[in-house]
Amino acid sequence: MAQAGEGRRNGRVTIREVAEDAGVSVAAVSKVLRDAYGVSEALRAKVRASMDKLGYRPLASARGMRGQTYTLGLVLPDLRNPFFADIMTGVNNALERTQYQVMMGISSSTAKLETGVVDSMIDRQMDGIILIGSTETRESLNSIATKKPLVAIGHHDPSAETFDTVNNNDQQGALLVVRHLVAAGYRDIAMLSLQGEPSSILSEREMGYRRGMIEAGLGGAINIAHSPQIMRDVQFATRRLLQGPKRPDAIFCWTDFIALEVISVATELGLRVPQDVGIVGYDNTMYCDFAQNSLTSIDQSGELLGLQATRLVIERINGRSDVEHFVVPPRLVARRSTSRKEG
Amino acid sequence: MAQAGEGRRNGRVTIREVAEDAGVSVAAVSKVLRDAYGVSEALRAKVRASMDKLGYRPLASARGMRGQTYTLGLVLPDLRNPFFADIMTGVNNALERTQYQVMMGISSSTAKLETGVVDSMIDRQMDGIILIGSTETRESLNSIATKKPLVAIGHHDPSAETFDTVNNNDQQGALLVVRHLVAAGYRDIAMLSLQGEPSSILSEREMGYRRGMIEAGLGGAINIAHSPQIMRDVQFATRRLLQGPKRPDAIFCWTDFIALEVISVATELGLRVPQDVGIVGYDNTMYCDFAQNSLTSIDQSGELLGLQATRLVIERINGRSDVEHFVVPPRLVARRSTSRKEG
DNA sequence: TGTTCTACGTGTATCGTTCTACGTTTTTCA
DNA sequence: TGAAAAACGTAGAACGATACACGTAGAACA
């Protein structure tokens, strides 16, 4: 085992060869590479020319031994949710003109895997880490933050001191949903939330839902069902809701693709979607727009979240140590799945 | 710029400290780490105990300097397509009991970005690279393969010598689609393919479509439209097809979410989906199952593809040099979007 | 004319691991 | 019993880049 392929490393140009070709010292080349102080424009040009000529590319492992690797780690909980693609677009935009590259890992929503992925990113000397939808405890996040600059997207902890957070206001988002549903004439509004690791964005959304219901004088109808992200379980939970003794006339789902599954189950049960039951999702992913779904949802500007998180983590790498908590306001996008008028 | 955060690297336990704690040489610890030849069970146990006690974790950068990093690079063209989640599941399963970790990068279907991501993975000393849906030229792939063990998923090149491929039989998949549609009574079957970088899986699917049409005596009705992956363009192309002089009665789309968009446009144009126009996708992603979509699609066992690709790349890392081309048969999953009977 | 700055470059120790080369002990076998 | 072979363990040189400590030349100042 573990034998590197023969001669695979061959042909790699080193900083030493560049230095020789350019007729300067190794240190000078390194300085050019890092835009460090102490190189004249002439020398820089000479070195650049040699690098281009020889096709030199710095080896991240070697850089990592003493300095940075110019790599950012991005941890996603799940590859199925297209919302993360929006975040990724923002991250890529933010990285456009920098030396940094992103590497992604998936934590699959399992706490054990999440720490595994994060540890693995620390081992691989990522200069900074962006965690999406983390379910880690505060101590755990603090511990990560002592090792690497850390920014959490989709994790509410406004009193966190050691890492930044980037969020939409989930509580307000849920509130908007309830207000919208009430305005559309729905009363028995249930919420379908995620079962599993406790997540702060979900508890915020649940809180917003409760507040909205109470605000509308529907405190007695509060009904939160929980289901894991597995389709079979979602179907089961949905049937339970829709076939139970007191059928809700609207269901607010914690994310879009769960809502799509709920629409599916409702349809199969012979319920018409806006009329018999209204459905709302969260994240406003591209699937909401399809005519067959036409799903009302909350837009939380994933691209902006990704952009901001990237900005923050790079700022931290460059030395910022005071905390920043960025919050974007959510926006409700109404579609047919909650419009009783024209259905 | 570029100053590592102060004291961040602190607290990292090195192999030297483990050796000291266990009372053995540094090299002995390294051998334990790599399961290398020449350590007794007693010594191994002693070292393992010290590693656990001190919380030692090997630093990938340092390993990469001389040996492997135990990291695999996975390049995806796009985060929006949930099909890749299936592949990823297979990859993760294959990696379960190994030392390897995966890092993902996105190439966003832009050739320039793709080489960028791959180069960046080579710079970061990935031990092997899995490329999904690559649009690189053969020379380009050969060049990558000289540097790192390489496996391509979703790229047909049965005569490639330097890298392995893992595919479903796309031509047969498309053939199955046409046969299914013909059997269901459709005749004017159009295909909606992807515009942009030439991709071998798409040309295979187009070929299969052509063959199927000719086989059914419908060679005169062959009609392949092309559109980029941007929703606006897909809508435009679809309208063109459905509002043109000779409206097709079925559309075969190169991937599921394009098919969903086509269903959406057709619905908005007042066409009923299985009756007026039949729609078929490819990949059999979870969205196909939703009642509101109920999309007929081709299952290409993404999980199996991921599993095999991972197996192959690890074999290559361990020294295999003869080529292997793995092909899985596609399977058609019929749903309502092509069933004219019960519409 | 000397002294002090500053800008520009260089030499080299160093990061944490792997791996080669080489001893020493234990086992095997004639 | 002795010699060869196998097993075990160690020392120390790499790997490629960074960054510290240090020279040197020219400019600025008195």
Side-chain angles (χ1 to χ4, degrees), chain B residues 32-203:
Chain B
V32 171
L33 235 49
R34 292 172 288 133
D35 284 320
Y37 169 85
V39 278
S40 62
E41 205 39 67
L43 186 142
R44 187 186 307 277
K46 228 175 13 176
V47 170
R48 280 265 146 74
S50 291
M51 293 195 320
D52 286 352
K53 178 174 135 202
L54 302 176
Y56 168 79
R57 293 187 63 96
L59 191 70
S61 300
R63 302 185 106 176
M65 292 292 289
R66 288 196 63 83
Q68 308 182 233
T69 57
Y70 298 95
T71 312
L72 264 34
L74 182 73
V75 181
L76 314 173
D78 173 19
L79 223 48
R80 291 197 149 73
N81 198 329
F83 174 56
F84 302 126
D86 298 341
I87 294 182
M88 195 60 200
T89 303
V91 172
N92 272 336
N93 286 347
L95 256 31
E96 195 80 0
R97 292 245 149 242
T98 73
Q99 282 201 64
Y100 292 91
Q101 286 272 349
V102 208
M103 296 277 132
M104 299 184 302
I106 339 182
S107 59
S108 296
S109 300
T110 318
K112 203 179 159 197
L113 251 173
E114 178 168 345
T115 36
V117 172
V118 171
D119 282 347
S120 149
M121 291 198 157
I122 294 173
D123 296 344
R124 281 160 186 79
Q125 298 276 91
M126 301 289 162
D127 295 333
I129 295 180
I130 298 176
L131 233 48
I132 303 183
S134 173
T135 55
E136 297 281 338
T137 62
R138 167 174 321 188
E139 298 87 63
S140 180
L141 290 175
N142 278 335
S143 152
I144 297 168
T146 60
K147 296 177 196 138
K148 292 288 168 188
L150 176 66
V151 177
I153 299 182
H155 176 87
H156 292 275
D157 188 352
S159 59
E161 297 284 356
T162 60
F163 56 91
D164 305 318
T165 63
V166 175
N167 284 295
N168 90 112
N169 188 332
D170 288 285
Q171 193 173 135
Q172 198 197 335
L175 199 60
L176 291 178
V177 168
V178 177
R179 284 181 187 159
H180 168 79
L181 285 169
V182 170
Y186 297 99
R187 290 294 174 270
D188 285 320
I189 305 167
M191 176 171 180
L192 183 48
S193 187
L194 179 65
Q195 187 173 70
E197 305 296 318
S199 139
S200 61
I201 63 168
L202 287 175
S203 54

Side-chain angles (χ1 to χ4, degrees), chain A residues 30-45:
Chain A
S30 174
K31 283 188 180 181
V32 171
L33 237 48
R34 292 171 287 135
D35 284 321
Y37 170 84
V39 277
S40 62
E41 204 43 64
L43 186 141
R44 185 185 309 275

